[in-house]
Amino acid sequence: MDFTPTEEQTAARDLAARIFADLATHERLAATGTGSDPELWKALTGAGLVGAVEDLGLLGLVLLLEEQGRTTAQVPYAATGVFGLLAITAHGTRDQRERLLPGLRDGSLVITGAFPAQGGVRASAPGGPAAVVDSASAELTGTVPVVPWLRDATHILVADDRRRLWLTPLASGATVTPVDLTAPWSAGRLTLDHAPAERLGTGRPPQDTGAYEDILATARTAFAGLQAGVCAGSLARAVAHVNTREQFGRPLATRQAVQLRAADAHMDTEAIRVTAYEAAWRRDAGLPYATHALTAAWWASEAGQRVVHTGQHLHGGTGADLDHPVHRHFLWGRQLAAYLGCGSEVLQELGELIASGE
């Protein structure tokens, strides 16, 4: 295994870091509220950093999402990268790639995903249930309680109750109700009432084989990478604080208890990062990676919560200020843990997958 970024991945990561540092400042984030930042999204698409995901692969996307997480920048980068660019590139038909990828690259289209499947959406076709199996189009009916970045999306990738994948535009047959989450992810409740949809890919092997499982594992890996950045940003703020904040004439950083707490947070952050890198690298190399994605998700959920709690705790009373920048990392870390699933649930799924030998 070699997780060393390529020259292209390094250049893209460095450019993303500069754009996020310039535009995702504390003042701009405070002014943005709970929505997304269209100016920042325009800057990212204009720099080619959204479309670059096609060539950089999942590992490249993880590197870029780390930089987003460091600043808690409010843009639908993870959703569009996973459920849009990577999903369509890997599983879409030639027509879907030619029709949708250009809009995703320039930012005129934003795709999010109703993942994982919750069994609340059914697909129907004129010929009845049997006709849906081979149909390239269908109508979707059902409700998904929470979809991240739904309010920013033009399309949504939906997994129905049979884990078949459908792309539906949000312009017709879909109702979006705003939902506030722990983190400002422009989320919404999706209600579909005979909404027209097209199948992602042909729906037949080899194109459709394992598409749902692949996209779910891709999402887990990408959001784990986002969590690595959130944790790194939280820890960096905490370290800066304890190095300048004095107590009894000495910086807090000289206290052994503070050092140990920060060291534990650093090790947790590195564990999240390296497991996300490994899962992403294996996916890009064409190797099985479902168990590795679950491992990354477990670390991101369990360890991620520890790190953002540490970041807030090491700020002392300042960390209790809801307007302090470190509190955003706390909110994002908690939201990412909830999205990825609680540690015991993820661990159970991992154990069952290992036991099945898949």
Side-chain angles (χ1 to χ4, degrees):
M1 294 180 291
D2 183 4
F3 306 148
T4 304
T6 64
E7 184 177 341
E8 292 77 11
Q9 289 171 337
T10 300
R13 180 190 62 192
D14 293 345
L15 177 57
R18 290 197 297 272
I19 293 175
F20 285 129
D22 289 342
L23 295 181
T25 61
H26 172 59
E27 293 74 20
R28 283 180 59 86
L29 289 169
T32 300
T34 60
S36 294
D37 186 339
E39 183 178 341
L40 175 54
W41 187 240
K42 183 177 180 180
L44 292 169
T45 55
L49 289 173
V50 177
V53 172
E54 294 174 69
D55 299 321
L56 299 178
L58 182 53
L59 181 55
L61 177 59
V62 166
L63 292 169
L64 295 171
L65 291 177
E66 269 195 87
E67 300 307 322
Q68 178 186 358
R70 290 180 198 275
T71 58
T72 62
Q74 293 170 202
V75 286
Y77 210 162
T80 290
V82 171
F83 304 118
L85 289 156
L86 291 181
I88 292 172
T89 299
H91 302 287
T93 63
R94 180 177 179 180
D95 172 70
Q96 287 170 339
R97 292 194 295 270
E98 292 177 349
R99 179 162 39 90
L100 297 171
L101 289 178
L104 290 169
R105 296 184 194 117
D106 64 24
S108 59
L109 297 181
V110 173
I111 296 180
T112 188
F115 270 71
Q118 301 175 40
V121 176
R122 300 180 305 279
S124 60
V132 179
V133 175
D134 295 318
S135 177
S137 62
E139 292 183 342
L140 303 181
T141 300
T143 299
V144 183
V146 177
V147 181
W149 291 288
L150 183 62
R151 283 178 274 162
D152 295 334
T154 58
H155 295 69
I156 183 168
L157 179 63
V158 179
D160 68 13
D161 55 352
R162 301 294 183 88
R163 295 188 173 183
R164 295 171 297 215
L165 302 178
W166 306 93
L167 276 168
T168 182
L170 293 175
S172 61
T175 301
V176 176
T177 305
V179 173
D180 288 331
L181 301 181
T182 303
W185 283 7
S186 294
R189 176 186 177 92
L190 176 68
T191 304
L192 300 167
D193 184 11
H194 298 285
E198 62 175 306
R199 190 188 293 268
L200 179 65
T202 64
R204 295 184 293 275
Q207 290 89 346
D208 193 50
T209 302
Y212 171 80
E213 290 76 10
D214 174 56
I215 294 173
L216 178 57
T218 299
R220 284 168 165 160
T221 304
F223 281 88
L226 183 59
Q227 181 77 300
V230 170
C231 291
S234 175
L235 184 57
R237 291 187 183 279
V239 169
H241 176 78
V242 298
N243 273 299
T244 56
R245 176 73 170 176
E246 292 191 357
Q247 187 180 65
F248 304 116
R250 294 170 56 192
L252 287 173
T254 62
R255 309 290 177 178
Q256 187 178 46
V258 172
Q259 294 172 3
L260 292 174
R261 189 79 187 271
D264 285 343
H266 172 74
M267 294 303 296
D268 274 339
T269 301
E270 289 302 302
I272 300 169
R273 177 181 288 116
V274 74
T275 52
Y277 282 8
E278 181 180 12
W281 175 83
R282 290 182 66 88
R283 192 259 190 194
D284 292 342
L287 299 171
Y289 74 108
T291 55
H292 301 79
L294 279 166
T295 302
W298 182 83
W299 274 105
S301 179
E302 286 286 289
Q305 292 186 79
R306 289 197 297 265
V307 174
V308 296
H309 275 265
T310 293
Q312 188 148 323
H313 187 199
L314 290 181
H315 277 78
T318 306
D321 183 355
L322 301 185
D323 294 325
H324 194 281
V326 77
H327 189 66
R328 286 198 191 88
H329 293 271
F330 175 77
L331 296 178
W332 276 68
R334 296 285 297 185
Q335 183 60 57
L336 282 163
Y339 183 73
L340 290 166
C342 75
S344 59
E345 291 176 342
V346 175
L347 201 60
Q348 180 179 348
E349 186 177 348
L350 176 59
E352 291 173 350
L353 189 62
I354 293 173
S356 69
E358 296 181 7

